[in-house]
Amino acid sequence: MIEHRLLAHWPFPAFVMDADWTILRLNRAAEAMFGTFRDPENGELNVFAIFLSDRFRDLVENWEEASTSLYFRLQTAAMHSVRIRQGFDAARARGMFDHIGQAITSAHDIPIYVPVIFRHPSGARLKLTSLLGQLVSVHDALVAGFEIELMVPVDAETERCMMANLPA
């Protein structure tokens, strides 16, 4: 149902992930955007592994700003996943989030949300945010833990670029 009624109709990257942030289903746009990040050993796509990879972070122009939201999202996810908790602890030990304390205590205005700004291979700057959802009225604990992430372009330029370069 998720694959045919939601993912197939969303024109931008969208995927379903479990509590460990392993992508279970994704649409063609998400495959085009994230497929090159597949684990070479098992073919797995894991959002946590993608977000914290050097290769992905190199594509994010505003990592320090955008990673603040990721940090708090990871804190929540770490309460429900041993895999994420261990990886998050390791990332913090490596200093990946050392800037967070300064970011949240500085005297500047905190925006309502921070889009992630990616460098597209075409040279365009993609400004994205995500919508997260879950199924309700679920009677299976495994399915109740699924998160559906829909990536949303923040501006018209990003939408045009994505519509031109990502398969619908």
Side-chain angles (χ1 to χ4, degrees):
M1 184 225 12
I2 294 171
E3 191 168 356
H4 296 290
R5 300 285 181 250
L6 182 65
L7 298 181
H9 298 287
W10 188 252
F12 308 111
F15 45 87
V16 177
M17 59 187 170
D18 64 14
D20 291 333
W21 288 14
T22 300
I23 296 176
L24 305 172
R25 296 280 188 272
L26 69 167
N27 66 6
R28 289 177 39 194
E31 179 65 43
M33 188 170 207
F34 296 114
T36 62
F37 291 95
R38 283 191 185 282
D39 185 311
E41 291 182 25
N42 63 14
E44 176 183 87
L45 275 174
N46 182 276
V47 175
F48 177 75
I50 292 169
F51 283 0
L52 297 186
S53 71
D54 291 336
R55 201 171 81 177
F56 181 81
R57 284 193 335 271
D58 287 346
L59 297 173
V60 178
E61 290 185 7
N62 64 336
W63 170 255
E64 286 211 0
E65 189 179 31
S67 64
T68 303
S69 299
L70 175 61
Y71 180 86
F72 290 110
R73 188 172 166 194
L74 285 169
Q75 271 190 326
T76 301
M79 290 188 278
H80 306 285
S81 166
V82 171
R83 181 178 179 185
I84 290 180
R85 183 174 52 251
Q86 291 169 343
F88 187 40
D89 289 346
R92 286 189 307 210
R94 288 191 316 268
M96 187 174 291
F97 295 106
D98 285 353
H99 62 284
I100 299 297
Q102 175 64 30
I104 61 176
T105 59
S106 66
H108 70 282
D109 289 336
I110 298 173
I112 294 171
Y113 73 97
V114 177
V116 177
I117 303 172
F118 294 100
R119 281 187 314 277
H120 187 272
S122 70
R125 295 174 78 219
L126 303 179
K127 295 180 182 178
L128 302 165
T129 192
S130 292
L131 296 174
L132 291 175
Q134 292 181 306
L135 295 175
V136 296
S137 302
V138 175
H139 299 284
D140 183 297
L142 177 66
V143 176
F146 290 174
E147 283 191 353
I148 302 164
E149 184 154 351
L150 306 174
M151 300 188 83
V152 181
V154 173
D155 58 21
E157 178 184 349
T158 299
E159 182 175 354
R160 279 191 301 274
C161 181
M162 293 179 81
M163 295 302 283
N165 293 291
L166 294 176

